[in-house]
Amino acid sequence: MSAHSQGNHDRVGRLLTHSDRAARLDLTALERRRLHQARQSLSSMAESRRVYGVTHGFGPLVGYRADPDRESQGLGLVSHLAVGQGPPLPPDVTRTMVWLRLRGMALGHSAVDPGIWQLLADQWNAGFTPVVPQEGSLSASGDLVPLAHAALAAAGDPHGQEAWRNEGGRWVRGSAGDVLRSLDVEPVRWEARSALAFVNGSSACLARALHTHREATALIRAAAAVTGRTVALLGTSREPYEDALSRVRNQPGQRRVAGWIRRELAAGVSPGPGRPLQERYSLRCAPQVLGAVLDQLDLQERVLLDEAAGCTDNPVLVDGELLHGGNFHAAPVGFASEAHASCLHQVAYLLERQLALVLDPSANGGLPPLLTPRPGADSGFAGVQIAATSHLARLRQLAHPASFTAVPTNLNNQDHVPMALNSANAVAAMTDRAWWILGSLLLAVNQLAHLTSGPPGEGLWEELRTCFPALDRDRPLATEVTAAAEAARTRFLALPSPEADAAPVPAMG
């Protein structure tokens, strides 16, 4: 695993690249030795002292002796926790989740069976990907429920547990046992300590948050691009995007976003006739809003990467000492996801307001209302705007902090829970809606290009102009909205890290 253990300076994109199906999980000689040493130490300790989940039961049943059959104890743990509901996590998120668990276990603090670790890695390397319901986790003693479903799938559970396999870029779903056999990999036979270490971590909410983090960064870049395209087509002032203006503000995100907006502006663009001295905030303050979001994502990235590099388990072996504690509590991930929610709302809100501006004759330079050439006979983008407004409202509903909804449970053993996966799932749903709003704006700006003599544009703008004809007569636009959103998503997710082209920020003093 040496290729996957670069430390906190890694970007989220690099981590996710390592955790996709093209990468491999392998132990270094040092990691393998640590696993064996930790396993031996735990076995020795369990002969003379109480060890949670090994000599004694789980959760509030820790006062009772464990089943002396360690395999029965481990299988019972993952079986009683397999109570998840709802649609499955996306396969790429599930692969990251399993990768994170194996990476944390390889640190040598969990005292897992090295043979079980290797079997799990063999499954992962072969492309075996459990089908994991996304609902049911407190993220308190780790993401117990989703990870238990993954554990049962890894065991080839015959009781309905399913798994994915990738066939030519398409995810195919089947029974876990059948998928394991088709990939020619062995099922896992769980024992108590290894089963507990696998389910006792924040990996589900963390994987979900990492993928959403990457989506949010791409969305910001897309929002900056469409802002620049709107400015170019409407002929508004480029002063709000000048580097000098951002430089004196001294906010690095603002300066970076202003640079992205300027890329969409032809050299020497001047305000068109009749444009106001100062535009509405949704255009004029786009660098400030998107830049602030970008800076917040940089802060949350550090939290998420720190979590990915650590050991979220209980108990843990550190320097030869066995420590019982609460490293599985996913508060850091929960708070990061709640920050993501606030950030995504700001981006979606800005995009929705830009859509309103583009459709309004009082702000779009006197073009037809709702950008239809036949007002009254046709309604243009009225329906698109209605749906975008609904998406924003639903997005706001999803943004309520999940940590505010916590309820004590588990005989009050888990009396403070972060609900981090609930939050991460909600933010993923918010992200979908933000892309839909962006797709709505992209179509409107494309119509703007058809109606004006503005610059033709390249790349995405040329693609939109080619794929989506002018709206000369009303037509259903649902599929076009999603197609435009996906075109932008694909393009901006493929861009390198924002750090690669960040404008330098002058030192203070």
Side-chain angles (χ1 to χ4, degrees):
M1 283 188 37
S2 57
H4 311 309
S5 303
Q6 302 294 325
N8 292 359
H9 62 275
D10 277 354
R11 302 290 295 182
V12 166
R14 180 184 296 181
L15 185 150
L16 293 178
T17 297
H18 284 312
S19 69
D20 73 9
R21 66 180 182 274
R24 279 190 59 83
L25 275 164
D26 293 298
L27 290 173
T28 65
L30 176 59
E31 289 167 338
R32 193 173 300 279
R33 185 165 64 250
R34 285 175 177 168
L35 257 63
H36 281 282
Q37 290 173 344
R39 186 68 177 177
Q40 291 170 358
S41 296
L42 180 69
S43 296
S44 177
M45 291 176 182
E47 293 177 359
S48 59
R49 61 165 293 182
R50 293 181 299 168
V51 179
Y52 175 69
V54 176
T55 65
H56 286 69
F58 304 109
L61 304 178
V62 68
Y64 296 85
R65 297 290 299 184
D67 191 322
D69 183 334
R70 298 289 168 79
E71 286 192 9
S72 178
Q73 180 83 351
L75 186 59
L77 171 67
V78 296
S79 294
H80 95 275
L81 290 170
V83 291
Q85 305 293 334
L89 292 169
D92 57 342
V93 173
T94 302
R95 287 192 61 74
T96 300
M97 176 189 79
V98 175
W99 183 89
L100 288 166
R101 284 318 303 137
L102 289 172
R103 186 227 166 272
M105 292 157 68
L107 296 175
H109 302 300
S110 298
V112 299
D113 184 324
I116 288 179
W117 190 98
Q118 191 59 58
L119 272 177
L120 290 166
D122 291 344
Q123 291 179 359
W124 191 91
N125 290 335
F128 179 78
T129 305
V131 172
V132 175
Q134 71 176 27
E135 303 292 347
S137 180
L138 301 175
S139 304
S141 188
D143 287 308
L144 295 169
V145 170
L147 286 164
H149 282 275
L152 281 179
D157 173 52
H159 303 296
Q161 188 64 45
E162 294 184 309
W164 307 97
R165 61 173 295 175
N166 192 281
E167 295 182 357
R170 184 172 64 93
W171 290 105
V172 177
R173 187 169 171 171
S175 74
D178 288 345
V179 174
L180 284 171
R181 283 186 288 273
S182 71
L183 296 172
D184 196 26
V185 286
E186 294 294 319
V188 171
R189 295 184 63 178
W190 290 106
E191 56 80 36
R193 178 60 207 136
S194 299
L196 180 60
F198 187 81
V199 302
N200 224 14
S202 61
S203 302
C205 61
L206 178 58
R208 191 69 144 155
L210 286 166
H211 281 268
T212 300
H213 188 97
R214 182 172 61 173
E215 294 266 350
T217 303
L219 183 67
I220 294 170
R221 301 191 77 164
V226 75
T227 298
R229 181 66 171 159
T230 303
V231 168
L233 290 172
L234 292 180
T236 73
S237 171
R238 63 178 293 162
E239 286 182 19
Y241 319 109
E242 293 292 347
D243 184 59
L245 185 69
S246 296
R247 186 178 71 242
V248 299
R249 177 69 182 276
N250 200 41
Q251 293 288 351
Q254 176 183 331
R255 194 173 181 191
R256 202 180 304 172
V257 169
W260 294 338
I261 293 174
R262 289 197 304 275
R263 291 181 185 179
E264 306 299 331
L265 306 177
V269 170
S270 57
R275 296 308 306 184
L277 175 64
Q278 297 191 141
E279 298 289 340
R280 294 180 184 180
Y281 285 10
S282 58
L283 282 185
R284 180 162 37 118
C285 298
Q288 288 78 9
V289 174
L290 297 176
V293 170
L294 192 62
D295 287 337
Q296 284 297 313
L297 290 181
D298 285 346
L299 293 174
Q300 303 315 317
E301 180 180 71
R302 291 199 292 271
V303 173
L304 296 176
L305 292 178
D306 284 346
E307 185 81 351
C311 177
T312 57
D313 196 1
N314 176 55
V316 295
L317 276 166
V318 185
D319 299 329
E321 186 176 0
L322 185 67
L323 303 173
H324 290 82
N327 276 4
F328 47 56
H329 195 288
V333 182
F335 296 154
S337 287
E338 289 175 7
H340 283 162
S342 178
C343 289
L344 280 165
H345 168 254
Q346 286 299 319
V347 178
Y349 178 30
L350 185 80
L351 294 171
E352 191 274 341
R353 289 293 81 205
Q354 288 184 358
L355 175 63
L357 182 152
V358 167
L359 301 180
D360 185 351
S362 69
N364 67 14
L367 291 170
L370 302 169
L371 298 185
T372 174
R374 304 186 335 134
D378 286 321
S379 298
F381 281 79
V384 169
Q385 187 180 24
I386 288 169
T389 302
S390 174
H391 300 329
L392 180 63
R394 177 63 175 142
L395 185 149
R396 287 174 167 173
Q397 187 179 5
L398 291 164
H400 184 77
S403 63
F404 286 15
T405 68
V407 179
T409 189
N410 198 225
L411 300 184
N412 276 324
N413 171 55
Q414 297 187 35
D415 64 345
H416 188 291
V417 294
M419 312 303 298
L421 183 56
N422 279 8
S423 182
N425 284 334
V427 175
M430 290 175 66
T431 307
D432 290 340
R433 285 152 180 78
W435 282 115
W436 296 340
I437 296 170
L438 175 76
S440 303
L441 176 59
L442 287 173
L443 289 185
V445 170
N446 183 58
Q447 177 76 350
L448 195 64
H450 283 296
L451 294 176
T452 66
S453 57
E458 300 176 345
L460 177 62
W461 316 124
E462 183 179 13
E463 180 182 351
L464 293 174
R465 193 177 182 93
T466 300
C467 296
F468 305 112
L471 191 66
D472 297 327
R473 296 288 189 276
D474 285 347
R475 64 176 185 263
L477 292 174
T479 57
E480 294 184 36
V481 168
T482 54
E486 185 57 29
R489 178 180 176 273
T490 300
R491 180 177 296 269
F492 288 99
L493 275 175
L495 291 178
S497 162
E499 285 190 348
D501 58 359
V505 179
M508 298 294 290

